[in-house]
């Protein structure tokens, strides 16, 4: 159909008059703060280094499978727990999904305290912030951030915090049949260990003897460093990323991860990590050890 020129002109004028009457701008490709009362500027906003996925409603990187889980910061759920006074705990890993240990965060408020773990249960505490006082027999020991304490099974030692503290706690039912003993220390004072072909720095916070059925490793990676071994092993892991960011491969999934993320790895889940970003990665990781894989 051919529209005569004078009709086209009239049509254009009518559109202009109508939009002026509504006080609206014509919405084109140029971003405008207001377009008919709406703001479409996000469509053409300057390229950002990344979208803030974590603040998108309902979005989370958290995932839970039979052989691994990622628990991102926004997925933690805190509640009170028997044995812990004025403290909130968020359980990240537990036997509820087949793990042979529990891993939880404890947020201790002013004048808070913890009773000893249940009989037969050993407990390892890493102080992440604030200060706790451990009553070990007749001795009181003050532990600040980056220090740790291990309570063997059936220990009667307690701990309290006057001004609050943030803790990572590992617990398990003792299964090694030896004589593990109370110990405590500072992460940085723990010796660096040989790592074979691996380039990361490694510390083990518990003695490497058959008296212990798990150990807690601190692993440091410079940006760009990654696990040499594409690991598959019978041991279980509970990991908390303390600093940095990178990519964690778990089974056939590849997860972008950042400080604050927690990971559960079941026996034999393929696992691999690469540290990325501008700053180093540090993570703390539980690993059951010295137990006979045949007997569990
Ligand atoms: O010791 C370990 O199994 C440790 N390298 N695993 C890990 O970092 N995922
Ligand atoms: Mn491993």
């Amino acid at each position: 159909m051919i529209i005569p020129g004078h009709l086209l002109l009239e049509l254009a004028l009518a559109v202009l008059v109508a939009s002026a009457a509504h006080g609206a701008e014509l919405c084109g490709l140029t971003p405008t703060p207001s377009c008919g009362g709406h703001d479409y500027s996000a469509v053409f906003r300057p390229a950002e280094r990344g979208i803030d996925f974590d603040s998108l409603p309902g979005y989370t990187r958290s995932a839970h499978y039979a052989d691994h889980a990622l628990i991102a910061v926004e997925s933690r759920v805190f509640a009170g727990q028997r044995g812990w006074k004025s403290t909130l705990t968020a359980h990240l890993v537990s036997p509820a999904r087949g793990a042979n240990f529990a891993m939880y965060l404890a947020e201790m408020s002013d004048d808070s305290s913890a009773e000893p773990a249940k009989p037969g249960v050993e407990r390892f505490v890493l102080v992440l912030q604030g200060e706790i006082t451990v009553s070990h027999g007749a001795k009181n020991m003050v532990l600040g951030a980056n220090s740790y304490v291990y309570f063997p099974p059936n220990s009667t030692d307690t701990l309290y915090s006057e001004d609050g503290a943030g803790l990572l706690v590992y617990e398990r039912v003792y299964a090694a049949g030896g004589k593990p003993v109370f110990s405590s220390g500072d992460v940085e004072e723990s010796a660096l260990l040989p790592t074979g072909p691996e380039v990361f720095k490694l510390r083990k916070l518990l003695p490497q003897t058959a008296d212990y059925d798990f150990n807690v490793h601190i692993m440091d990676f410079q940006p760009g460093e990654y696990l040499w071994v594409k690991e598959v092993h019978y041991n279980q892991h509970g990991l908390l990323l303390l600093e940095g960011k990178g990519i964690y491969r778990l089974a056939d999934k590849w997860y972008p991860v950042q400080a604050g993320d927690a990971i559960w790895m079941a026996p034999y889940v393929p696992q691999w990590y690469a540290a990325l970003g501008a700053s180093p990665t540090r993570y703390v990781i539980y690993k059951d050890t010295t137990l006979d894989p045949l007997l569990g």
Side-chain angles (χ1 to χ4, degrees), residues 4-34:
H6 70 278
L7 277 184
L8 269 179
L9 196 65
E10 276 173 32
L11 209 61
L13 276 174
V15 169
L16 276 177
V17 168
S19 36
H22 285 88
E25 301 165 37
L26 280 178
C27 295
L29 282 179
T30 312
T32 49
S34 139

Side-chain angles (χ1 to χ4, degrees), residues 198 200 202 217 219 221 227 231 233 235 237 239 248 265 271-273 283 285 287:
E198 300 284 2
F200 60 80
L202 174 66
H217 301 185
M219 294 173 57
F221 299 77
L227 285 177
E231 297 179 14
H233 50 62
N235 320 75
H237 285 318
L239 179 157
Y248 229 103
M265 291 175 241
Q271 57 199 255
W272 180 85
Y273 179 67
Y283 61 67
I285 186 168
K287 184 174 187 175

Side-chain angles (χ1 to χ4, degrees), residues 145-162:
N146 220 22
S147 42
Y148 59 89
V149 53
Y150 169 78
F151 303 96
N154 306 316
S155 160
T156 52
D157 295 343
T158 53
L159 63 88
Y160 66 92
S161 181
E162 240 168 60

Side-chain angles (χ1 to χ4, degrees), residues 63-115:
H64 217 302
Y65 295 93
D67 59 0
H68 72 271
L70 168 66
I71 305 103
V73 176
E74 69 275 8
S75 299
R76 296 175 188 162
V77 177
F78 282 89
Q81 183 173 325
R82 203 165 283 169
W84 290 81
K85 193 188 119 214
S86 302
T87 301
L88 293 174
T89 59
H91 282 263
L92 307 171
V93 181
S94 78
R97 277 306 285 248
N100 63 12
F101 67 102
M103 167 179 168
Y104 57 97
L105 296 171
E107 243 180 29
M108 303 186 79
S109 312
D110 294 357
D111 296 321
S112 50
S113 59
E115 292 170 10

Side-chain angles (χ1 to χ4, degrees), residues 33-250:
S34 139
C35 186
H38 299 274
D39 180 2
Y40 297 154
S41 62
V43 177
F44 288 99
R45 73 178 151 206
E48 288 173 2
R49 295 267 310 161
I51 295 171
D52 181 8
F53 282 104
D54 287 344
S55 67
L56 288 178
Y59 176 84
T60 179
R61 288 169 296 114
S62 298
H64 217 302
Y65 295 93
D67 59 0
H68 72 271
L70 168 66
I71 305 103
V73 176
E74 69 275 8
S75 299
R76 296 175 188 162
V77 177
F78 282 89
Q81 183 173 325
R82 203 165 283 169
W84 290 81
K85 193 188 119 214
S86 302
T87 301
L88 293 174
T89 59
H91 282 263
L92 307 171
V93 181
S94 78
R97 277 306 285 248
N100 63 12
F101 67 102
M103 167 179 168
Y104 57 97
L105 296 171
E107 243 180 29
M108 303 186 79
S109 312
D110 294 357
D111 296 321
S112 50
S113 59
E115 292 170 10
K118 303 242 165 9
V121 171
E122 50 191 329
R123 175 183 280 168
F124 178 96
V125 173
L126 176 65
V127 182
L128 301 177
Q129 58 187 39
E131 232 173 48
I132 57 170
T133 303
V134 173
S135 304
H136 174 51
K139 245 182 26 196
N140 275 352
M141 306 167 57
V142 177
L143 301 182
N146 220 22
S147 42
Y148 59 89
V149 53
Y150 169 78
F151 303 96
N154 306 316
S155 160
T156 52
D157 295 343
T158 53
L159 63 88
Y160 66 92
S161 181
E162 240 168 60
D163 301 319
L167 312 178
L168 170 66
V169 185
Y170 292 113
E171 286 174 353
R172 67 164 290 162
V173 176
Y174 181 63
K179 284 204 175 357
V181 294
F182 175 93
S183 62
S184 77
D186 183 278
V187 168
E188 252 53 47
E189 283 165 16
S190 170
L192 288 173
L193 301 173
T195 55
E198 300 284 2
V199 291
F200 60 80
K201 301 272 181 299
L202 174 66
R203 291 174 165 90
K204 296 189 182 183
L205 303 183
L206 291 176
Q208 297 170 70
T209 69
D211 287 316
Y212 294 81
D213 52 7
F214 74 92
N215 214 317
V216 176
H217 301 185
I218 299 285
M219 294 173 57
D220 290 301
F221 299 77
Q222 291 303 314
E225 291 183 348
Y226 53 87
L227 285 177
W228 177 256
V229 180
K230 296 106 182 175
E231 297 179 14
V232 177
H233 50 62
Y234 78 88
N235 320 75
Q236 308 188 12
H237 285 318
L239 179 157
L240 181 66
L241 205 68
L242 298 171
E243 292 175 308
K245 55 174 93 166
I247 300 281
Y248 229 103
R249 181 200 168 151
L250 299 164

